PDB file of all heavy atoms in Angstrom:
ATOM      1  N   PRO A  87      16.570  30.820  41.190  1.00 94.00           N
ATOM      2  CA  PRO A  87      17.816  30.269  40.661  1.00 94.00           C
ATOM      3  C   PRO A  87      17.807  28.741  40.788  1.00 94.00           C
ATOM      4  O   PRO A  87      17.072  28.184  41.605  1.00 94.00           O
ATOM      5  CB  PRO A  87      18.891  30.872  41.571  1.00 94.00           C
ATOM      6  CG  PRO A  87      18.172  31.263  42.816  1.00 94.00           C
ATOM      7  CD  PRO A  87      16.779  31.582  42.417  1.00 94.00           C
ATOM      8  N   PRO A  88      18.661  28.059  39.976  1.00 91.00           N
ATOM      9  CA  PRO A  88      18.655  26.599  39.953  1.00 91.00           C
ATOM     10  C   PRO A  88      18.810  25.967  41.346  1.00 91.00           C
ATOM     11  O   PRO A  88      18.163  24.961  41.643  1.00 91.00           O
ATOM     12  CB  PRO A  88      19.862  26.241  39.072  1.00 91.00           C
ATOM     13  CG  PRO A  88      20.109  27.448  38.248  1.00 91.00           C
ATOM     14  CD  PRO A  88      19.620  28.627  39.024  1.00 91.00           C
ATOM     15  N   LYS A  89      19.648  26.567  42.176  1.00 87.00           N
ATOM     16  CA  LYS A  89      19.924  25.931  43.468  1.00 87.00           C
ATOM     17  C   LYS A  89      18.708  25.914  44.383  1.00 87.00           C
ATOM     18  O   LYS A  89      18.633  25.125  45.322  1.00 87.00           O
ATOM     19  CB  LYS A  89      21.112  26.621  44.169  1.00 87.00           C
ATOM     20  CG  LYS A  89      20.843  28.053  44.617  1.00 87.00           C
ATOM     21  CD  LYS A  89      22.053  28.592  45.390  1.00 87.00           C
ATOM     22  CE  LYS A  89      21.885  30.047  45.806  1.00 87.00           C
ATOM     23  NZ  LYS A  89      20.688  30.341  46.606  1.00 87.00           N
ATOM     24  N   ASP A  90      17.736  26.792  44.108  1.00 91.00           N
ATOM     25  CA  ASP A  90      16.535  26.813  44.952  1.00 91.00           C
ATOM     26  C   ASP A  90      15.387  26.005  44.359  1.00 91.00           C
ATOM     27  O   ASP A  90      14.266  26.056  44.842  1.00 91.00           O
ATOM     28  CB  ASP A  90      16.090  28.263  45.179  1.00 91.00           C
ATOM     29  CG  ASP A  90      17.134  29.051  45.957  1.00 91.00           C
ATOM     30  OD1 ASP A  90      17.895  28.413  46.710  1.00 91.00           O
ATOM     31  OD2 ASP A  90      17.214  30.284  45.778  1.00 91.00           O
ATOM     32  N   ARG A  91      15.663  25.277  43.274  1.00 92.00           N
ATOM     33  CA  ARG A  91      14.661  24.368  42.732  1.00 92.00           C
ATOM     34  C   ARG A  91      15.142  22.958  43.005  1.00 92.00           C
ATOM     35  O   ARG A  91      16.332  22.675  42.854  1.00 92.00           O
ATOM     36  CB  ARG A  91      14.530  24.535  41.208  1.00 92.00           C
ATOM     37  CG  ARG A  91      14.343  25.952  40.769  1.00 92.00           C
ATOM     38  CD  ARG A  91      14.173  26.012  39.258  1.00 92.00           C
ATOM     39  NE  ARG A  91      14.098  27.411  38.859  1.00 92.00           N
ATOM     40  CZ  ARG A  91      13.578  27.825  37.708  1.00 92.00           C
ATOM     41  NH1 ARG A  91      13.129  26.943  36.829  1.00 92.00           N
ATOM     42  NH2 ARG A  91      13.521  29.108  37.434  1.00 92.00           N
ATOM     43  N   ALA A  92      14.253  22.058  43.336  1.00 90.00           N
ATOM     44  CA  ALA A  92      14.674  20.685  43.595  1.00 90.00           C
ATOM     45  C   ALA A  92      14.764  19.936  42.267  1.00 90.00           C
ATOM     46  O   ALA A  92      14.038  18.979  42.011  1.00 90.00           O
ATOM     47  CB  ALA A  92      13.701  20.013  44.547  1.00 90.00           C
ATOM     48  N   VAL A  93      15.695  20.405  41.425  1.00 94.00           N
ATOM     49  CA  VAL A  93      15.803  19.861  40.081  1.00 94.00           C
ATOM     50  C   VAL A  93      17.181  19.252  39.882  1.00 94.00           C
ATOM     51  O   VAL A  93      18.171  19.831  40.314  1.00 94.00           O
ATOM     52  CB  VAL A  93      15.606  20.982  39.040  1.00 94.00           C
ATOM     53  CG1 VAL A  93      15.953  20.481  37.645  1.00 94.00           C
ATOM     54  CG2 VAL A  93      14.193  21.484  39.069  1.00 94.00           C
ATOM     55  N   SER A  94      17.244  18.102  39.248  1.00 92.00           N
ATOM     56  CA  SER A  94      18.529  17.558  38.817  1.00 92.00           C
ATOM     57  C   SER A  94      18.530  17.385  37.317  1.00 92.00           C
ATOM     58  O   SER A  94      17.518  16.976  36.745  1.00 92.00           O
ATOM     59  CB  SER A  94      18.788  16.196  39.457  1.00 92.00           C
ATOM     60  OG  SER A  94      19.394  16.387  40.711  1.00 92.00           O
ATOM     61  N   MET A  95      19.672  17.696  36.724  1.00 92.00           N
ATOM     62  CA  MET A  95      19.748  17.615  35.262  1.00 92.00           C
ATOM     63  C   MET A  95      20.967  16.812  34.859  1.00 92.00           C
ATOM     64  O   MET A  95      22.036  16.972  35.455  1.00 92.00           O
ATOM     65  CB  MET A  95      19.815  19.036  34.699  1.00 92.00           C
ATOM     66  CG  MET A  95      19.763  19.122  33.199  1.00 92.00           C
ATOM     67  SD  MET A  95      19.065  20.711  32.688  1.00 92.00           S
ATOM     68  CE  MET A  95      19.542  20.754  30.966  1.00 92.00           C
ATOM     69  N   VAL A  96      20.795  15.952  33.875  1.00 91.00           N
ATOM     70  CA  VAL A  96      21.913  15.199  33.304  1.00 91.00           C
ATOM     71  C   VAL A  96      22.082  15.662  31.867  1.00 91.00           C
ATOM     72  O   VAL A  96      21.118  15.711  31.097  1.00 91.00           O
ATOM     73  CB  VAL A  96      21.656  13.679  33.337  1.00 91.00           C
ATOM     74  CG1 VAL A  96      22.800  12.920  32.695  1.00 91.00           C
ATOM     75  CG2 VAL A  96      21.443  13.203  34.760  1.00 91.00           C
ATOM     76  N   PHE A  97      23.324  16.002  31.514  1.00 86.00           N
ATOM     77  CA  PHE A  97      23.591  16.543  30.189  1.00 86.00           C
ATOM     78  C   PHE A  97      24.166  15.467  29.259  1.00 86.00           C
ATOM     79  O   PHE A  97      24.595  14.415  29.715  1.00 86.00           O
ATOM     80  CB  PHE A  97      24.582  17.705  30.272  1.00 86.00           C
ATOM     81  CG  PHE A  97      24.074  18.852  31.096  1.00 86.00           C
ATOM     82  CD1 PHE A  97      24.336  18.894  32.465  1.00 86.00           C
ATOM     83  CD2 PHE A  97      23.330  19.862  30.520  1.00 86.00           C
ATOM     84  CE1 PHE A  97      23.869  19.951  33.230  1.00 86.00           C
ATOM     85  CE2 PHE A  97      22.860  20.920  31.282  1.00 86.00           C
ATOM     86  CZ  PHE A  97      23.130  20.962  32.644  1.00 86.00           C
ATOM     87  N   GLN A  98      24.183  15.827  27.984  1.00 80.00           N
ATOM     88  CA  GLN A  98      24.721  14.926  26.968  1.00 80.00           C
ATOM     89  C   GLN A  98      26.190  14.568  27.241  1.00 80.00           C
ATOM     90  O   GLN A  98      26.569  13.417  27.260  1.00 80.00           O
ATOM     91  CB  GLN A  98      24.589  15.590  25.602  1.00 80.00           C
ATOM     92  CG  GLN A  98      25.174  14.778  24.471  1.00 80.00           C
ATOM     93  CD  GLN A  98      24.980  15.464  23.138  1.00 80.00           C
ATOM     94  OE1 GLN A  98      24.135  16.342  22.992  1.00 80.00           O
ATOM     95  NE2 GLN A  98      25.755  15.053  22.164  1.00 80.00           N
ATOM     96  N   ASN A  99      27.015  15.589  27.448  1.00 75.00           N
ATOM     97  CA  ASN A  99      28.414  15.339  27.797  1.00 75.00           C
ATOM     98  C   ASN A  99      28.508  15.375  29.314  1.00 75.00           C
ATOM     99  O   ASN A  99      28.714  16.412  29.903  1.00 75.00           O
ATOM    100  CB  ASN A  99      29.341  16.392  27.179  1.00 75.00           C
ATOM    101  CG  ASN A  99      28.844  17.791  27.425  1.00 75.00           C
ATOM    102  OD1 ASN A  99      27.719  17.976  27.866  1.00 75.00           O
ATOM    103  ND2 ASN A  99      29.657  18.781  27.154  1.00 75.00           N
ATOM    104  N   TYR A 100      28.307  14.217  29.922  1.00 70.00           N
ATOM    105  CA  TYR A 100      28.015  14.156  31.348  1.00 70.00           C
ATOM    106  C   TYR A 100      29.143  14.645  32.233  1.00 70.00           C
ATOM    107  O   TYR A 100      29.026  14.659  33.438  1.00 70.00           O
ATOM    108  CB  TYR A 100      27.541  12.757  31.761  1.00 70.00           C
ATOM    109  CG  TYR A 100      28.074  11.665  30.887  1.00 70.00           C
ATOM    110  CD1 TYR A 100      29.278  11.026  31.158  1.00 70.00           C
ATOM    111  CD2 TYR A 100      27.360  11.278  29.745  1.00 70.00           C
ATOM    112  CE1 TYR A 100      29.749  10.027  30.330  1.00 70.00           C
ATOM    113  CE2 TYR A 100      27.839  10.272  28.911  1.00 70.00           C
ATOM    114  CZ  TYR A 100      29.022   9.661  29.213  1.00 70.00           C
ATOM    115  OH  TYR A 100      29.491   8.676  28.392  1.00 70.00           O
ATOM    116  N   ALA A 101      30.307  14.991  31.646  1.00 80.00           N
ATOM    117  CA  ALA A 101      31.376  15.703  32.318  1.00 80.00           C
ATOM    118  C   ALA A 101      31.551  15.387  33.791  1.00 80.00           C
ATOM    119  O   ALA A 101      31.206  16.177  34.657  1.00 80.00           O
ATOM    120  CB  ALA A 101      31.164  17.210  32.125  1.00 80.00           C
ATOM    121  N   LEU A 102      32.088  14.223  34.065  1.00 91.00           N
ATOM    122  CA  LEU A 102      32.495  13.927  35.426  1.00 91.00           C
ATOM    123  C   LEU A 102      33.812  14.659  35.677  1.00 91.00           C
ATOM    124  O   LEU A 102      34.588  14.891  34.756  1.00 91.00           O
ATOM    125  CB  LEU A 102      32.706  12.421  35.595  1.00 91.00           C
ATOM    126  CG  LEU A 102      31.476  11.556  35.289  1.00 91.00           C
ATOM    127  CD1 LEU A 102      31.850  10.071  35.291  1.00 91.00           C
ATOM    128  CD2 LEU A 102      30.359  11.830  36.274  1.00 91.00           C
ATOM    129  N   TYR A 103      34.069  15.030  36.931  1.00 93.00           N
ATOM    130  CA  TYR A 103      35.345  15.670  37.237  1.00 93.00           C
ATOM    131  C   TYR A 103      36.428  14.614  37.179  1.00 93.00           C
ATOM    132  O   TYR A 103      36.398  13.659  37.949  1.00 93.00           O
ATOM    133  CB  TYR A 103      35.304  16.327  38.619  1.00 93.00           C
ATOM    134  CG  TYR A 103      34.202  17.349  38.763  1.00 93.00           C
ATOM    135  CD1 TYR A 103      33.086  17.102  39.562  1.00 93.00           C
ATOM    136  CD2 TYR A 103      34.273  18.575  38.093  1.00 93.00           C
ATOM    137  CE1 TYR A 103      32.077  18.034  39.691  1.00 93.00           C
ATOM    138  CE2 TYR A 103      33.250  19.511  38.217  1.00 93.00           C
ATOM    139  CZ  TYR A 103      32.162  19.243  39.012  1.00 93.00           C
ATOM    140  OH  TYR A 103      31.164  20.151  39.134  1.00 93.00           O
ATOM    141  N   PRO A 104      37.416  14.780  36.259  1.00 94.00           N
ATOM    142  CA  PRO A 104      38.389  13.708  36.028  1.00 94.00           C
ATOM    143  C   PRO A 104      39.317  13.447  37.216  1.00 94.00           C
ATOM    144  O   PRO A 104      39.811  12.345  37.385  1.00 94.00           O
ATOM    145  CB  PRO A 104      39.188  14.200  34.817  1.00 94.00           C
ATOM    146  CG  PRO A 104      38.924  15.656  34.716  1.00 94.00           C
ATOM    147  CD  PRO A 104      37.613  15.933  35.381  1.00 94.00           C
ATOM    148  N   SER A 105      39.544  14.479  38.049  1.00 96.00           N
ATOM    149  CA  SER A 105      40.492  14.308  39.142  1.00 96.00           C
ATOM    150  C   SER A 105      39.819  13.802  40.418  1.00 96.00           C
ATOM    151  O   SER A 105      40.452  13.675  41.457  1.00 96.00           O
ATOM    152  CB  SER A 105      41.191  15.641  39.426  1.00 96.00           C
ATOM    153  OG  SER A 105      40.224  16.578  39.837  1.00 96.00           O
ATOM    154  N   MET A 106      38.507  13.543  40.340  1.00 96.00           N
ATOM    155  CA  MET A 106      37.799  13.040  41.514  1.00 96.00           C
ATOM    156  C   MET A 106      37.370  11.601  41.285  1.00 96.00           C
ATOM    157  O   MET A 106      37.046  11.200  40.156  1.00 96.00           O
ATOM    158  CB  MET A 106      36.513  13.858  41.743  1.00 96.00           C
ATOM    159  CG  MET A 106      36.755  15.290  42.137  1.00 96.00           C
ATOM    160  SD  MET A 106      35.120  16.021  42.478  1.00 96.00           S
ATOM    161  CE  MET A 106      35.567  17.745  42.580  1.00 96.00           C
ATOM    162  N   THR A 107      37.333  10.830  42.353  1.00 97.00           N
ATOM    163  CA  THR A 107      36.831   9.454  42.269  1.00 97.00           C
ATOM    164  C   THR A 107      35.326   9.516  42.024  1.00 97.00           C
ATOM    165  O   THR A 107      34.683  10.564  42.120  1.00 97.00           O
ATOM    166  CB  THR A 107      37.061   8.690  43.582  1.00 97.00           C
ATOM    167  OG1 THR A 107      36.304   9.347  44.618  1.00 97.00           O
ATOM    168  CG2 THR A 107      38.521   8.622  43.958  1.00 97.00           C
ATOM    169  N   VAL A 108      34.778   8.338  41.734  1.00 97.00           N
ATOM    170  CA  VAL A 108      33.335   8.227  41.548  1.00 97.00           C
ATOM    171  C   VAL A 108      32.609   8.747  42.809  1.00 97.00           C
ATOM    172  O   VAL A 108      31.667   9.531  42.723  1.00 97.00           O
ATOM    173  CB  VAL A 108      32.941   6.763  41.250  1.00 97.00           C
ATOM    174  CG1 VAL A 108      31.438   6.550  41.360  1.00 97.00           C
ATOM    175  CG2 VAL A 108      33.435   6.354  39.859  1.00 97.00           C
ATOM    176  N   TYR A 109      33.104   8.312  43.971  1.00 97.00           N
ATOM    177  CA  TYR A 109      32.472   8.746  45.224  1.00 97.00           C
ATOM    178  C   TYR A 109      32.504  10.271  45.335  1.00 97.00           C
ATOM    179  O   TYR A 109      31.468  10.897  45.624  1.00 97.00           O
ATOM    180  CB  TYR A 109      33.208   8.112  46.420  1.00 97.00           C
ATOM    181  CG  TYR A 109      32.497   8.357  47.745  1.00 97.00           C
ATOM    182  CD1 TYR A 109      31.673   7.385  48.287  1.00 97.00           C
ATOM    183  CD2 TYR A 109      32.645   9.570  48.433  1.00 97.00           C
ATOM    184  CE1 TYR A 109      31.010   7.592  49.488  1.00 97.00           C
ATOM    185  CE2 TYR A 109      31.973   9.806  49.619  1.00 97.00           C
ATOM    186  CZ  TYR A 109      31.162   8.820  50.157  1.00 97.00           C
ATOM    187  OH  TYR A 109      30.515   9.037  51.342  1.00 97.00           O
ATOM    188  N   GLU A 110      33.668  10.859  45.074  1.00 96.00           N
ATOM    189  CA  GLU A 110      33.801  12.314  45.201  1.00 96.00           C
ATOM    190  C   GLU A 110      32.931  13.058  44.183  1.00 96.00           C
ATOM    191  O   GLU A 110      32.360  14.102  44.490  1.00 96.00           O
ATOM    192  CB  GLU A 110      35.281  12.709  45.041  1.00 96.00           C
ATOM    193  CG  GLU A 110      36.124  12.305  46.223  1.00 96.00           C
ATOM    194  CD  GLU A 110      37.633  12.297  45.956  1.00 96.00           C
ATOM    195  OE1 GLU A 110      38.027  12.363  44.755  1.00 96.00           O
ATOM    196  OE2 GLU A 110      38.394  12.205  46.918  1.00 96.00           O
ATOM    197  N   ASN A 111      32.836  12.484  42.967  1.00 95.00           N
ATOM    198  CA  ASN A 111      31.952  13.080  41.969  1.00 95.00           C
ATOM    199  C   ASN A 111      30.499  13.082  42.471  1.00 95.00           C
ATOM    200  O   ASN A 111      29.780  14.061  42.295  1.00 95.00           O
ATOM    201  CB  ASN A 111      32.017  12.275  40.663  1.00 95.00           C
ATOM    202  CG  ASN A 111      32.993  12.879  39.661  1.00 95.00           C
ATOM    203  OD1 ASN A 111      32.700  13.907  39.019  1.00 95.00           O
ATOM    204  ND2 ASN A 111      34.163  12.274  39.540  1.00 95.00           N
TER     205      ASN A 111
END
Side-chain angles (χ1 to χ4, degrees):
K89 67 176 177 56
D90 296 333
R91 309 182 184 200
V93 170
S94 273
M95 186 153 164
V96 178
F97 299 90
Q98 177 178 342
N99 49 349
Y100 27 89
L102 301 172
Y103 302 109
S105 62
M106 293 184 191
T107 63
V108 167
Y109 188 98
E110 288 163 347
N111 264 285

